[in-house]
Amino acid sequence: MAGILSKIFGDANQRYLNGVSHITQKINSLEEIFIGFSNFELKSKTEEFRSRISEGESLDEILTEAFAAVRETAKRTLGQRHFDVQLVGGLALHQGKIAQMATGEGKTLTATLPAYLNALNGHVHVVTVNDYLARRDTVWMGQIYNFLGLTVGCINSDGSYVYDSGYSKNLNQDFDKIRDTQGSFKVVHEFLKPAGKLEVYSCDVVYGTNTEFGFDYLRDNLIVDLPQVISPERHFAIVDEVDSILIDEARTPLIISMPDAQSPKLYETFSRIVPRLNDNEDYNVDLKMRTVVITDSGLNKVENMLGLGNIYDEGGVRYVHHLEQALKAHALF
């Protein structure tokens, strides 16, 4: 049956390839033009693209030129040229699709196309499966982004780094001796400069592992002071080895645990206060929705018991949280 349907409607992958063939042809037609650009002219394309975006052009409208710029830059920095199959893969990733590519077809190089394009309009995260690949790809592909005027960084379990092509020139001989005893020195130290996470997350393109991105997201959600948030923006993400990260790795939950000496005391405090409040006067219970809402009268009583002028101003979100939890425990459970 499947064979009959394929004959009638055609293969879905082939239909997609046929649908984007005119785009790859357009990118290929631009190659000769971009070959003629000087290094300065090629690098200045980034500001031109961003200016056009600010004036109302969409990413799709500048896609062919942006892909052509990345291809030409890769030839000049890495000595590698994106083939048509990589252009198609880049298109699929930009459109939010899964691009299945065999080993050797250049997945790492392919990702630079949509990463650069989307970095013109916001921060891009490239998610890899381990620290080594995050460092390697930051240094390897960082040459393309750096040439085009973008900043690149990586988040590792042992630290965070920004790509700096001149960093190795500042290393002293003693550091070289230490570096030579470490197996991954070529990737870690020659072009990666240690930096704070806030600086790394402000880069245009950030490489990192799924666990580090996940834990940083969780840490940001534990912070009550906005200036302490280290990863404020998430614009576009590319997931490498998507089957491993979104299926295999997703089976292991990310859990952050930490001691909090004040929480037990606060639970005890509010567990003594809540029974002194009156139902339908100080709080209202909705059994169907399983919710409890405190009234203005109830808030005034709680503030008087705690000796606070305003629980939201003086107690902060922690007091309100403990009050709500104590009310639910008392009224619903």
Side-chain angles (χ1 to χ4, degrees):
M1 186 65 179
I4 296 174
L5 292 175
S6 295
K7 290 180 181 179
I8 297 174
F9 298 106
D11 179 77
N13 287 331
Q14 191 57 50
R15 288 201 305 273
Y16 178 78
L17 294 175
N18 294 337
V20 300
S21 61
H22 68 285
I23 301 178
T24 57
Q25 291 172 8
K26 175 63 175 176
I27 299 170
N28 288 332
S29 69
L30 292 171
E31 187 166 15
E32 287 300 319
I33 298 175
F34 277 77
I35 287 175
F37 289 149
S38 67
N39 287 351
F40 176 79
E41 289 172 326
L42 188 57
K43 183 173 184 176
S44 66
K45 279 291 178 181
T46 296
E47 288 306 314
E48 177 191 322
F49 293 148
R50 283 177 165 165
S51 176
R52 288 163 57 181
I53 291 171
S54 67
E55 293 171 0
E57 282 196 58
S58 67
L59 293 181
D60 289 338
E61 289 176 306
I62 65 171
L63 183 148
T64 54
E65 294 175 72
F67 276 30
V70 175
R71 171 191 263 179
E72 181 58 30
T73 301
K75 288 158 58 179
R76 299 187 189 187
T77 56
L78 307 181
Q80 296 180 328
R81 175 185 179 275
H82 294 80
F83 294 105
D84 286 0
V85 65
Q86 293 168 313
L87 299 180
V88 173
L91 282 167
L93 292 175
H94 168 64
Q95 294 170 357
K97 302 180 185 295
I98 295 176
Q100 182 177 355
M101 302 178 70
T103 301
E105 286 187 319
K107 296 189 291 290
T108 304
L109 188 63
T110 297
T112 59
L113 297 164
Y116 171 75
L117 175 64
N118 285 274
L120 296 171
N121 199 34
H123 300 287
V124 172
H125 294 175
V126 183
V127 188
T128 60
V129 293
N130 59 56
D131 285 345
Y132 170 78
L133 289 177
R135 295 191 302 266
R136 185 202 70 177
D137 294 351
T138 302
V139 172
W140 190 12
M141 299 299 117
Q143 298 172 73
I144 297 175
Y145 305 121
N146 183 68
F147 184 97
L148 288 169
L150 299 186
T151 54
V152 196
C154 74
I155 301 293
N156 274 187
S157 59
D158 64 344
S160 50
Y161 308 88
V162 291
Y163 175 81
D164 185 348
S165 60
Y167 181 58
S168 61
K169 297 177 182 178
N170 300 321
L171 300 178
N172 57 47
Q173 292 182 351
D174 292 335
F175 188 84
D176 284 341
K177 292 177 181 178
I178 299 173
R179 182 191 66 177
D180 290 342
T181 65
Q182 301 175 352
S184 58
F185 70 89
K186 291 184 179 179
V187 177
V188 180
H189 296 299
E190 285 192 356
F191 302 104
L192 292 180
K193 180 181 178 181
K197 280 193 174 182
L198 187 60
E199 179 183 354
V200 174
Y201 274 114
S202 67
C203 290
D204 299 304
V205 181
V206 183
Y207 285 85
T209 62
N210 57 303
T211 53
E212 287 306 306
F213 282 132
F215 277 125
D216 286 341
Y217 175 80
L218 293 178
R219 293 185 189 105
D220 279 350
N221 279 272
L222 293 173
I223 291 172
V224 295
D225 189 10
L226 280 177
Q228 295 179 2
V229 173
I230 59 173
S231 178
E233 296 184 9
R234 296 172 179 84
H235 174 70
F236 185 83
I238 298 172
V239 182
D240 189 16
E241 304 289 353
V242 65
D243 54 342
S244 174
I245 289 176
L246 296 186
I247 298 177
D248 300 335
E249 294 289 331
R251 295 172 182 169
T252 304
L254 301 180
I255 300 173
I256 290 182
S257 61
M258 61 184 68
D260 189 348
Q262 293 183 327
S263 285
K265 295 179 181 178
L266 287 175
Y267 280 120
E268 293 172 6
T269 299
F270 283 98
S271 69
R272 290 193 296 268
I273 289 176
V274 165
R276 298 160 65 183
L277 303 178
N278 299 316
D279 189 9
N280 294 325
E281 178 185 342
D282 299 322
Y283 62 88
N284 298 311
V285 181
D286 187 333
L287 293 174
K288 183 178 179 180
M289 300 301 296
R290 308 291 289 174
T291 59
V292 184
V293 179
I294 191 164
T295 64
D296 290 339
S297 170
L299 272 179
N300 290 333
K301 284 187 179 180
V302 171
E303 288 168 350
N304 289 333
M305 294 176 195
L306 292 173
L308 299 176
N310 186 314
I311 191 173
Y312 292 97
D313 292 339
E314 300 179 42
V317 69
R318 290 190 306 115
Y319 276 33
V320 177
H321 168 74
H322 282 81
L323 173 59
E324 291 174 345
Q325 296 306 307
L327 268 174
K328 285 183 179 180
H330 176 74
L332 296 177
F333 304 107

